[in-house]
C-alpha cells in the first residue's frame, strides 16, 4: 500500500498487536521495550521465511504473474503492520491526545520497528511499517485479548492515532495526531479518515489542506455519510433525519470503507462487511 497511489505493493503484511504485547510484558514484569524488541525481531524473521518460500515457489514456476513481470518480487515490501497502538497507550495511563508522553510512546514503538526494518534490509528485501486499516483484525484482536484475560475497553481496536469515539478532539487535533511527529517512522503509511457531518465549501476544504500541510499529514480522506431510505430506497448525499422523497424516518446511512459504500448498520459484523464488499464489486463491474 502506498500513499497517493504510488505503485509500491506489499507482498505480505504481518501485524503486531501492540496492546497485547505491552500488557503481556507489564504482566510478566518485563520492560515492554525489551519484550517488543523480541517480538519485532521475530516478526522480521517470519517475514524473511515467507519471502524465501515465495522465491522457492517462483523457481518452481508456481508464480506466473511474477514471471510475466506484473509483480517484481524485489520491489515489493514486506510489511510490519501495527494495531492496538491507542489501546496500549491507554493501558500505560497515557492520554490519547497530542501530548509529549504520547508522542514519545508512538516514536519509541515505531522507531524500534523502523530500526529493525533497516537492520534486516538487503539488496533484495525491503520492509516498511503501516498502521493497518484493521476493519476485521481490529475486531479479532479485541475479541482474542478479552478472551485471554487482557484489559479490553472496546470491541474494535482503533486504526488511528486517536480514539474514534472521542468527541473532544476536533478536526485539527486529528490532523496533528496524524502529522509529522507521529507518522515519521510509519514508512508504509496510515490514512487519516475525517468523518464529517456534511460537505464543506471549497474555501473550507482549502483551509483544511493548509492545516494538513502545516501539521505534516500526508495521507487523508474525507468521509461524509449518505442517507439511504429503508422504505423507498432513496439515496441522498447529505446526512439527513428524514427521507426527502417519502418523508419516512426509517433511515440508514452509507459511508465509505476503503473504496466501498457501506451501511452503517452493518459496521460491527465483519462477515456481513465482506459479503457486502463482494456485492458492490459485482455491481461496479456491470
Ligand atoms: Zn423514502
Amino acid at each position: 500500500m502506498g500513499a497517493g497511489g504510488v505503485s509500491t505493493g506489499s507482498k505480505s503484511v504481518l501485524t503486531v498487536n501492540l496492546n497485547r504485547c505491552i500488557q503481556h510484558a507489564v504482566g510478566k514484569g518485563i520492560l515492554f521495550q525489551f519484550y517488543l524488541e523480541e517480538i519485532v525481531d521475530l516478526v522480521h524473521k517470519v517475514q524473511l521465511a515467507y519471502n524465501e518460500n515465495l522465491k522457492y515457489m517462483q523457481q518452481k514456476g508456481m508464480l506466473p504473474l511474477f514471471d510475466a513481470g506484473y509483480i517484481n518480487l524485489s520491489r515489493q515490501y514486506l510489511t510490519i503492520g501495527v494495531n492496538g497502538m491507542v489501546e496500549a497507550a491507554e493501558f500505560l495511563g497515557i492520554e490519547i491526545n497530542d501530548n509529549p508522553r504520547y508522542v514519545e510512546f508512538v516514536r519509541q514503538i515505531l522507531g524500534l520497528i523502523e530500526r529493525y526494518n533497516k537492520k534486516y534490509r538487503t539488496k533484495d528485501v525491503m520492509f516498511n511499517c503501516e498502521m493497518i486499516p484493521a476493519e476485521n483484525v481490529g475486531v479479532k484482536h479485541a475479541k482474542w485479548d478479552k478472551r485471554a484475560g487482557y484489559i479490553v475497553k472496546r470491541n474494535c481496536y482503533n486504526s488511528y492515532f486517536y480514539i474514534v469515539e472521542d468527541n473532544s478532539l476536533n478536526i485539527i487535533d486529528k490532523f496533528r495526531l496524524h502529522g509529522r511527529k507521529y507518522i515519521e517512522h510509519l514508512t508504509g503509511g496510515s490514512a487519516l479518515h475525517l468523518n464529517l457531518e456534511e460537505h464543506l465549501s471549497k474555501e473550507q476544504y482549502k483551509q483544511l489542506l493548509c492545516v494538513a500541510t502545516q501539521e505534516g499529514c500526508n495521507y487523508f480522506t474525507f468521509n461524509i455519510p449518505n442517507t439511504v431510505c429503508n422504505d423507498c430506497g432513496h439515496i441522498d448525499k447529505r446526512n439527513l433525519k428524514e427521507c426527502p422523497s417519502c418523508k419516512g424516518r426509517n433511515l440508514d446511512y452509507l459511508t465509505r470503507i476503503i473504496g466501498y459504500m457501506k451501511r452503517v448498520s452493518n459496521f460491527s459484523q465483519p462477515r456481513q462487511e465482506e459479503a457486502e464488499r463482494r456485492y458492490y464489486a459485482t455491481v461496479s463491474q456491470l
Side-chain angles (χ1 to χ4, degrees):
M1 179 168 158
V6 176
S7 63
T8 53
S10 179
K11 49 190 164 184
S12 162
V13 183
L14 197 55
T15 298
V16 179
N17 176 353
L18 294 170
N19 191 30
R20 185 155 186 157
C21 288
I22 282 166
Q23 288 199 33
H24 177 82
V26 171
K28 296 274 179 219
I30 315 164
L31 266 181
F32 78 78
Q33 290 89 340
F34 289 152
Y35 181 67
L36 200 60
E37 187 160 353
E38 267 177 50
I39 297 291
V40 169
D41 187 54
L42 195 60
V43 165
H44 282 80
K45 286 174 178 153
V46 173
Q47 285 284 43
L48 284 179
Y50 175 89
N51 194 54
E52 285 306 308
N53 193 43
L54 270 186
K55 287 198 299 203
Y56 178 71
M57 284 166 75
Q58 189 175 24
Q59 280 166 18
K60 298 286 176 192
M62 292 167 76
L63 299 175
L65 287 178
F66 290 68
D67 292 335
Y70 289 106
I71 306 170
N72 182 345
L73 206 58
S74 61
R75 298 305 305 161
Q76 297 285 305
Y77 285 98
L78 291 165
T79 297
I80 313 301
V82 291
N83 183 234
M85 175 80 79
V86 156
E87 287 72 18
E90 279 180 324
F91 172 76
L92 294 173
I94 298 170
E95 272 190 69
I96 311 301
N97 52 39
D98 182 40
N99 70 76
R101 261 191 93 193
Y102 189 44
V103 175
E104 172 61 23
F105 176 74
V106 169
R107 289 164 85 129
Q108 222 173 34
I109 288 177
L110 299 181
L112 167 71
I113 294 172
E114 197 181 18
R115 213 165 70 233
Y116 272 79
N117 285 351
K118 285 179 176 158
K119 182 178 163 185
Y120 277 95
R121 191 194 162 114
T122 66
K123 63 181 190 348
D124 304 312
V125 189
M126 305 187 294
F127 292 89
N128 65 6
C129 176
E130 181 188 330
M131 184 178 269
I132 56 158
E135 283 87 16
N136 296 323
V137 173
V139 174
K140 285 180 188 162
H141 280 164
K143 199 172 80 186
W144 295 336
D145 288 353
K146 190 178 260 177
R147 201 163 58 200
Y150 294 99
I151 296 167
V152 176
K153 289 168 75 173
R154 55 184 66 85
N155 292 327
C156 179
Y157 287 176
N158 282 282
S159 310
Y160 310 100
F161 288 107
Y162 56 87
I163 300 169
V164 178
E165 64 270 20
D166 183 355
N167 294 323
S168 73
L169 297 175
N170 63 32
I171 288 177
I172 294 173
D173 294 325
K174 290 177 180 175
F175 269 115
R176 186 162 297 149
L177 284 164
H178 276 255
R180 59 177 69 81
K181 279 190 290 188
Y182 294 88
I183 65 168
E184 183 192 4
H185 300 294
L186 216 50
T187 42
S190 150
L192 164 63
H193 287 70
L194 287 166
N195 296 314
L196 305 177
E197 287 288 314
E198 54 186 313
H199 286 278
L200 305 178
S201 68
K202 191 175 163 187
E203 283 67 34
Q204 288 172 315
Y205 277 125
K206 225 166 146 182
Q207 187 60 37
L208 285 183
L209 294 187
C210 291
V211 171
T213 311
Q214 197 151 14
E215 297 299 336
C217 176
N218 59 10
Y219 192 12
F220 56 92
T221 71
F222 299 107
N223 215 352
I224 297 97
N226 291 6
T227 307
V228 55
C229 176
N230 288 327
D231 294 333
C232 78
H234 180 81
I235 294 175
D236 196 288
K237 71 170 186 163
R238 294 165 294 174
N239 188 6
L240 303 174
K241 298 279 172 277
E242 183 187 280
C243 171
S245 176
C246 75
K247 307 293 171 200
R249 287 177 167 266
N250 178 16
L251 303 175
D252 199 353
Y253 299 92
L254 300 170
T255 186
R256 193 177 49 75
I257 300 289
I258 318 174
Y260 307 87
M261 295 304 286
K262 263 189 34 58
R263 277 177 182 265
V264 171
S265 60
N266 285 348
F267 257 31
S268 56
Q269 298 158 29
R271 287 199 183 280
Q272 281 188 38
E273 280 177 27
E274 265 177 31
E276 192 119 343
R277 279 180 199 168
R278 282 185 218 124
Y279 172 74
Y280 279 104
T282 317
V283 166
S284 70
Q285 283 161 358
L286 292 177

